[in-house]
Amino acid sequence: MTETLIRGRLLTFRRAPLDAADTESFIYETDGALLMSDGVIQAFGAYADVKAKAEDGVEEIDHRPHLILPGFIDTHVHFPQMQVIGSYAANLLEWLNTYTFPEECRFVEKAHAERIAVHFFDEFLRNGTTTAVAYCSVHKTSADAFFAESLKRGTRMIAGKVMMDRNAPQGLLDTPEMGYDETRAVIADWHGKGRNHVAITPRFAITSTPQQMERTQALAEEFPDLHIQTHLSENHDEIAYTATLYPDAIDYTDIYAHYGLLGPKTLLGHAIHLSDREADAISEAGAIAVHCPTSNLFLGSGLFPLKALKRRDKPLRIAVATDIGGGSSYSMLKTMDEAYKIQQLLGERLNPLESFYHMTLGNAEALSLSDKIGTLEPGTDADVIVLNAFATPAMALRMETVKTLGEELFLLQTLGDDRAIVETYVAGRASKPNAI
Ligand code: GUN
Ligand code: ZN
């Protein structure tokens, strides 16, 4: 058993912070160390204590004065959209039809899917994201390429072959039966292989017929432990069009509820424009609203009421995500920078502790995976990142006036990006790719 010990300032959350002064919500070791072996965290705490537990001749890496955190988690991304980021469109539906659907058609080709998969993992690890929840394209080839690359990298990833059988180009359509069969095949081939998880992935109600929703319900009943991911209430035109396609539903949320797709493992991308009834239904089901701030701003979709949804009598479980390629950054730091600004526009405050909680333990809890990721607790996966708040000249200059941990985190969020990620450990192995 080869052990690796990394030394630096450790930060890990115990629970969601109640406010900016909630020092009980996290553990912070100013001279800390983390001991890793067999892909798992063996110990963490004060350097002297952890060093005493390590075997003689342990490999020791000194990251001082940098911060050591659990790897970031991104709960909503589109693997086949790396080459549509920054496409100029007026709104969601125009963006999907003009750029995104044509681009996703290319993933029928194995070589293309495999090439983009290499870039995907390079980019996520460069940005310190060690777990992502991804939509592949409708083609099984895309899921195969994604999971094969994940297996190679040793990452814990969640992904699904998208199911869609209408309102898209022919090259992007399956059928209710094909969607069902191919999702089953992806589960058989990849679920539980390495650290891969398969998610049941109906794209959204606009692109699935009621017949496809029924087959999706069958999958959800056969595989109740799997995550389910879809999109909900992102844009007003989308919501209006959806209502015409499912005239018997009370509202958008009711469509997914009707087909048994609303539960504690359901990730609802965006969920910006919810009625009180919908928010109650989502809260009662324990489903998760996934906030994608850079995408919501880029596509002009709306301002997600994160703080208001958390404050409700029936609060919502909330996760955060980039939504590449509607989103405009791979960085979870930049993502929370934009989340902060959205709350500012809504007259709310999002404090830096809360932001860093969301990127790590909060997203792990939203995925029901906090026993494995999002924390530095012994026994969890050794997916760990090292952050440098002095990474650029502008950051170093601002750091001269920073006095507290909260200020340092806020600076990392406001000015940081992939340059602030010194190293990304995947299952204990240094895995940050070199910059291009
Ligand atoms: N709704 C359905 N598909 C998509 C997608 O690919 N991106 C975004 N942002 N919203 C969607
Ligand atoms: Zn999406």
Side-chain angles (χ1 to χ4, degrees):
M1 184 164 81
T2 34
E3 289 187 335
T4 305
L5 182 148
I6 58 175
R7 184 174 188 179
R9 289 182 293 136
L10 301 187
L11 176 65
T12 185
F13 285 88
R14 291 192 172 106
R15 57 164 170 77
L18 301 175
D19 54 43
D22 185 2
T23 51
E24 296 293 304
S25 64
F26 61 87
I27 300 169
Y28 177 51
E29 284 285 351
T30 50
D31 186 8
L34 192 77
L35 187 64
M36 312 182 284
S37 70
D38 292 334
V40 171
I41 296 172
Q42 304 295 342
F44 88 106
Y47 171 75
D49 298 343
V50 175
K51 173 78 175 167
K53 289 181 190 157
E55 62 192 17
D56 286 346
V58 61
E59 180 194 16
E60 194 167 328
I61 302 165
D62 193 349
H63 285 301
R64 288 177 297 169
H66 303 321
L67 277 169
I68 297 174
L69 268 78
F72 292 146
I73 301 168
D74 185 346
T75 55
H76 182 123
V77 311
H78 294 263
F79 159 52
Q81 295 180 11
M82 295 186 79
Q83 291 184 301
V84 294
I85 298 173
S87 293
Y88 186 69
N91 55 53
L92 169 68
L93 297 179
E94 182 186 311
W95 176 83
L96 281 173
N97 289 316
T98 312
Y99 306 102
T100 308
F101 288 162
E103 176 63 24
E104 290 195 13
C105 289
R106 301 174 67 199
F107 284 74
V108 68
E109 281 176 42
K110 186 168 182 272
H112 180 68
E114 287 175 350
R115 170 173 173 254
I116 299 298
V118 173
H119 286 288
F120 183 97
F121 282 83
D122 279 353
E123 212 49 59
F124 277 76
L125 297 179
R126 180 175 296 124
N127 279 280
T129 298
T130 47
T131 290
V133 186
Y135 289 67
C136 299
S137 72
V138 72
H139 318 98
K140 182 168 182 290
T141 44
S142 70
D144 290 342
F146 183 92
F147 282 124
E149 190 63 30
S150 174
L151 193 63
K152 218 181 267 178
R153 309 270 182 145
T155 41
R156 186 175 294 286
M157 290 281 160
I158 305 174
K161 175 213 112 72
V162 158
M163 293 182 279
M164 48 195 296
D165 68 343
R166 67 171 170 188
N167 290 322
Q170 193 57 42
L172 268 198
L173 298 182
D174 55 15
T175 63
E177 228 32 61
M178 261 175 79
Y180 173 87
D181 289 344
E182 292 189 353
T183 298
R184 282 197 65 127
V186 173
I187 294 167
D189 290 351
W190 295 109
H191 189 66
K193 199 173 256 188
R195 292 198 287 156
N196 287 330
H197 302 237
V198 175
I200 297 168
T201 309
R203 184 176 203 127
F204 65 158
I206 289 179
T207 49
S208 285
T209 59
Q211 294 73 30
Q212 179 154 76
M213 288 298 199
E214 280 170 17
R215 299 311 284 148
T216 306
Q217 177 167 20
L219 286 167
E221 285 168 4
E222 281 170 64
F223 301 99
D225 294 338
L226 264 54
H227 291 89
I228 298 171
Q229 56 179 345
T230 191
H231 295 85
L232 173 70
S233 294
E234 179 176 2
N235 163 292
H236 291 297
D237 290 341
E238 171 215 14
I239 296 166
Y241 184 31
T242 303
T244 68
L245 296 171
Y246 287 90
D248 296 336
I250 309 169
D251 47 40
Y252 200 161
T253 300
D254 185 49
I255 300 170
Y256 298 133
H258 177 78
Y259 292 102
L261 301 179
L262 221 54
K265 289 228 159 157
T266 304
L267 301 164
L268 301 163
H270 307 289
I272 302 169
H273 309 287
L274 301 176
S275 67
D276 270 350
R277 195 216 74 80
E278 290 181 285
D280 283 351
I282 292 168
S283 173
E284 283 161 16
I288 296 102
V290 183
H291 179 32
C292 307
T294 70
S295 170
N296 297 167
L297 294 174
F298 182 78
L299 294 172
S301 302
L303 304 177
F304 180 80
L306 180 138
K307 297 292 286 196
L309 289 174
K310 285 204 216 182
R311 255 197 323 263
R312 301 179 85 249
D313 289 341
K314 293 182 179 174
L316 261 64
R317 298 174 70 198
I318 289 169
V320 294
T322 61
D323 188 32
I324 292 299
S328 51
S329 173
Y330 289 94
S331 168
M332 288 305 294
L333 296 169
K334 288 266 72 66
T335 298
M336 294 315 293
D337 181 33
E338 300 299 291
Y340 173 79
K341 293 172 191 170
I342 290 176
Q343 293 315 297
Q344 287 289 95
L345 287 171
L346 291 169
E348 304 273 10
R349 307 299 311 282
L350 183 62
N351 76 64
L353 289 180
E354 206 174 347
S355 288
F356 275 77
Y357 160 77
H358 273 299
M359 292 183 243
T360 56
L361 182 63
N363 273 352
E365 288 173 347
L367 298 175
S368 305
L369 283 173
S370 55
D371 58 332
K372 300 202 164 59
I373 54 174
T375 162
L376 301 180
E377 284 296 326
T380 64
D381 299 355
D383 294 341
V384 177
I385 55 176
V386 182
L387 291 174
N388 176 12
F390 299 83
T392 68
M395 291 173 79
L397 186 67
R398 178 64 174 88
M399 274 300 284
E400 289 177 13
T401 61
V402 160
K403 295 191 179 60
T404 65
L405 175 66
E407 287 173 358
E408 182 178 357
L409 296 178
F410 201 41
L411 169 60
L412 276 163
Q413 173 184 304
T414 307
L415 287 181
D417 52 29
D418 56 302
R419 293 169 295 179
I421 310 295
V422 174
E423 190 52 271
T424 304
Y425 290 93
V426 173
R429 239 193 13 235
S431 302
K432 186 181 180 192
N434 294 326
I436 300 169

